[in-house]
Amino acid sequence: MNMFTYTATCLFGLEGLLGAEIDALGYRRLQTMDGRITFQGDAAAAAVCNIHLRFAERLYLQLGQFHAATFEELFQGTRALSLEEWIGKNDAFPVRGHAIKSALFSVPDCQRIIKKAAATRLEEIYGISRLPETGRKYQLDFFLFKDTASIMIDLSGTPLHKRGYRPGTVQAPLRETLAAAVAKLARPRENVLFCDPFCGSGTIVIEAVMQMQNIAPGLFRTFAAEAFPQFPRALWDAAREAARERMCETKTDFSARASDIDPAAVEIAGECARRAGVFDKIRFCCQDARTLRSEGVRGTIATNPPYGERLLSLQEAEQLYREIGKSWRENLKCWQIYVLTSHEAFPRLYGRRPDKVRKLYNGMIPCHLYQFFKNPQKMGKFA
């Protein structure tokens, strides 16, 4: 059985969740670093991981890794790779990438060197002076870190956070992978209402229901590697069939509630839920988060309220935090609450010290997931 080296990338802060997913799928981790995990797997892993990984942004196949502190080393290292095993005589191979903490810091220059080296190798192998690049596309990505170059092929194409269920959006959308992480960390359970009172396009609640129903995040979309002959159609068919069987075998009484003060957002959230196949598990309504009541049931709030950067002014966001803090302390005494925000003074404004804090990133915006899960009647207010 041929084994390959893969790299899955993720938002900073999600490495632990992504690593646990890779472990659960049965693949062997080789390296974990900020924003990426490298692991070993067979050819089927290309399909299985693209379809199943909830917290990954992209999946790559590693072609090779080598020291490259100079452009000559970068050229010769790339030229030495067996690119012809993947890229055919007519295939296209655009280059993109990143350089961090390396002597070679100019991304455009690195792109040109890698492109030239790859073209030189392929022209020599195929005995031609000019590659037409009119065939299938193999996106080459490089990652330079501390003078070590990794050359990879993108197997995902469209980023994995784009599940395919969100056709439109409201302002300041939350990336699906981060929403999935917030949902996971909030520990969705049966017989506990899962609620997002600032639902926006409904992403956190939709991701929570997908997790509870074992709906693979990539089940209903396609991937770049499906066009690669090295990963036969049978692998993708088998991976999708296994994912469908797992989904159909999962029975759950889990239910969720998505609300927002903006009726347009609630409408979009409902449409997204329909496209994701989870509409029947979510109750949608237009409501001010400050009027939320427990209604005699156990509940968990997992939410991403306005930061005061793109929605509301900073002063308006801070006043909102004070008001939901007062309301939720009085009316949701035994509920567990998970709030993702970039405002570092949130606990003081909310009026309660968090039981746990986790640093995450919403795109390039550093955020904190403030977690309140202990009985507030036994805890003091924020001092």
Side-chain angles (χ1 to χ4, degrees):
M1 179 186 300
N2 289 333
M3 300 299 289
F4 301 99
T5 299
Y6 296 94
T7 293
T9 59
C10 64
L11 295 172
F12 291 157
L14 303 191
E15 297 86 359
L17 294 173
L18 176 57
E21 281 192 303
I22 292 169
D23 293 342
L25 291 173
Y27 302 116
R28 185 169 68 90
R29 274 195 266 179
L30 302 175
Q31 182 184 38
T32 300
M33 61 184 298
D34 289 347
R36 60 187 56 226
I37 293 177
T38 300
F39 61 98
Q40 193 174 62
D42 57 10
V48 172
C49 292
N50 266 314
I51 290 170
H52 284 279
L53 293 180
R54 295 187 189 280
F55 309 112
E57 293 299 312
R58 288 184 186 274
L59 181 69
Y60 296 96
L61 176 81
Q62 285 249 20
L63 296 179
Q65 194 173 76
F66 51 87
H67 180 79
T70 67
F71 286 128
E72 180 63 19
E73 288 177 328
L74 184 61
F75 181 91
Q76 295 300 341
T78 302
R79 186 180 181 182
L81 300 176
S82 300
L83 301 173
E84 66 279 1
E85 293 181 3
W86 296 92
I87 303 171
K89 182 171 63 174
N90 298 314
D91 295 337
F93 52 101
V95 178
R96 66 188 178 197
H98 300 86
I100 301 174
K101 298 180 180 179
S102 294
L104 302 179
F105 56 86
S106 171
V107 170
D109 286 337
C110 291
Q111 286 177 296
R112 286 192 288 271
I113 293 297
I114 291 171
K115 181 70 175 184
K116 182 178 179 181
T120 299
R121 165 96 186 193
L122 294 171
E123 286 168 355
E124 291 172 348
I125 291 293
Y126 295 123
I128 55 179
S129 59
R130 183 178 178 83
L131 298 164
E133 297 197 54
T134 56
R136 67 174 56 87
K137 176 183 172 182
Y138 288 86
Q139 177 67 59
L140 292 183
D141 275 65
F142 67 88
F143 179 58
L144 268 166
F145 181 70
K146 294 183 177 180
D147 298 332
T148 296
S150 298
I151 309 298
M152 306 170 290
I153 294 176
D154 179 8
L155 303 180
S156 298
T158 301
L160 295 178
H161 72 261
K162 296 187 177 182
R163 323 292 205 205
Y165 63 72
R166 195 159 68 180
T169 187
V170 292
Q171 280 186 288
L174 191 66
R175 190 173 294 191
E176 293 89 330
T177 42
L178 181 56
V182 172
K184 180 73 173 179
L185 294 169
R187 300 183 301 119
R189 289 152 288 167
E190 291 192 4
N191 304 315
V192 176
L193 179 64
F194 191 94
C195 179
D196 182 357
F198 297 97
C199 73
S201 53
T203 318
I204 292 175
V205 170
I206 290 170
E207 291 291 331
V209 176
M210 289 177 68
Q211 290 174 31
M212 293 299 289
Q213 291 193 309
N214 274 325
I215 300 175
L219 182 57
F220 303 111
R221 53 157 289 182
T222 59
F223 308 94
E226 291 188 67
F228 301 170
Q230 296 89 347
F231 301 109
R233 169 56 48 191
L235 298 179
W236 301 91
D237 291 343
R240 285 195 172 92
E241 182 59 29
R244 290 190 187 94
E245 289 179 1
R246 186 183 180 203
M247 177 182 66
C248 293
E249 290 170 357
T250 300
K251 306 299 179 184
T252 178
D253 293 326
F254 177 76
S255 63
R257 186 174 185 271
S259 60
D260 200 287
I261 199 170
D262 181 2
V266 176
E267 184 177 348
I268 291 173
E271 176 59 25
C272 290
R274 286 188 183 91
R275 291 170 63 93
V278 298
F279 183 80
D280 62 331
K281 290 291 184 179
I282 305 172
R283 181 159 62 96
F284 295 92
C285 67
C286 188
Q287 183 178 2
D288 188 323
R290 291 163 288 201
T291 67
L292 193 62
R293 300 294 183 268
S294 67
E295 300 175 359
V297 301
R298 296 172 62 202
T300 295
I301 287 178
T303 193
N304 174 226
Y307 296 171
E309 295 188 17
R310 289 174 288 188
L311 297 176
L312 303 183
S313 68
L314 180 60
Q315 292 73 24
E316 289 172 329
E318 290 179 344
Q319 183 59 27
L320 176 64
Y321 294 165
R322 294 186 185 97
E323 291 172 359
I324 62 173
K326 182 177 185 297
S327 174
W328 292 357
R329 283 196 307 276
E330 292 176 355
N331 301 299
L332 305 173
K333 290 185 172 65
C334 295
W335 280 34
Q336 296 185 352
I337 296 172
Y338 298 77
V339 178
L340 180 73
T341 175
S342 66
H343 200 313
E344 294 188 357
F346 176 82
R348 177 177 57 79
L349 296 165
Y350 183 73
R352 182 179 168 190
R353 191 181 301 278
D355 301 308
K356 189 174 182 180
V357 181
R358 183 162 182 154
K359 189 171 185 179
L360 300 170
Y361 283 79
N362 186 5
M364 296 304 295
I365 302 174
C367 301
H368 291 89
L369 180 64
Y370 295 102
Q371 305 173 48
F372 307 90
F373 45 77
K374 295 180 181 178
N375 188 337
Q377 293 177 316
K378 297 180 181 179
M379 306 295 291
K381 289 186 178 181
F382 191 91

